Amino acid sequence: MSGVVDFRTQIEDVVGSVMGVPSNPMVVTGGVPVSAYALNDLDGTDPLYIGKATSSGVWLVQKYSTAAGTMRYANISNNAGYASYASAWAARASLVYGLFQTLTGV
């Protein structure tokens, strides 16, 4: 199908690479580099939910809106009721999302 773009290609264009390691990993004070997170799950198209976790269990869920062209983030700092990746991923549609710079512990 000519002219059809895979949603993963769109995400890679917007945020670098879903599965890649950024050349300059962002770190929030007291947190871990974003490059330490491994991709666990993808769900949906618009919004697209991207579930990641570190080997120590720190979780991060990203919500990408194709229509709005925005990426928002959720972790335990803005969703204290979800201590594990599994519980956060199960509730991904109802998590509180915000801008990356508003998170702590990432």
Side-chain angles (χ1 to χ4, degrees), residues 3-104:
V4 175
V5 179
D6 178 19
F7 71 88
R8 288 186 181 136
T9 302
Q10 292 174 355
I11 294 297
E12 288 170 359
D13 290 345
V14 172
V15 296
S17 174
V18 170
M19 306 222 11
V21 176
S23 59
N24 184 15
M26 297 180 290
V27 178
V28 174
T29 303
V32 296
V34 172
S35 61
Y37 290 84
L39 178 66
N40 282 342
D41 297 292
L42 290 174
D43 179 47
T45 54
D46 196 8
L48 170 66
Y49 295 97
I50 304 162
K52 298 178 178 182
T54 67
S55 60
S56 62
V58 178
W59 62 268
L60 177 70
V61 178
Q62 297 169 260
K63 180 180 176 181
Y64 176 70
S65 170
T66 304
T70 58
M71 180 74 74
R72 296 295 181 258
Y73 303 85
N75 75 349
I76 198 162
S77 71
N78 57 352
N79 293 277
Y82 301 95
S84 71
Y85 172 79
S87 64
W89 183 250
R92 62 191 169 276
S94 60
L95 294 176
V96 174
Y97 291 87
L99 298 173
F100 186 82
Q101 65 267 25
T102 64
L103 301 181
T104 59

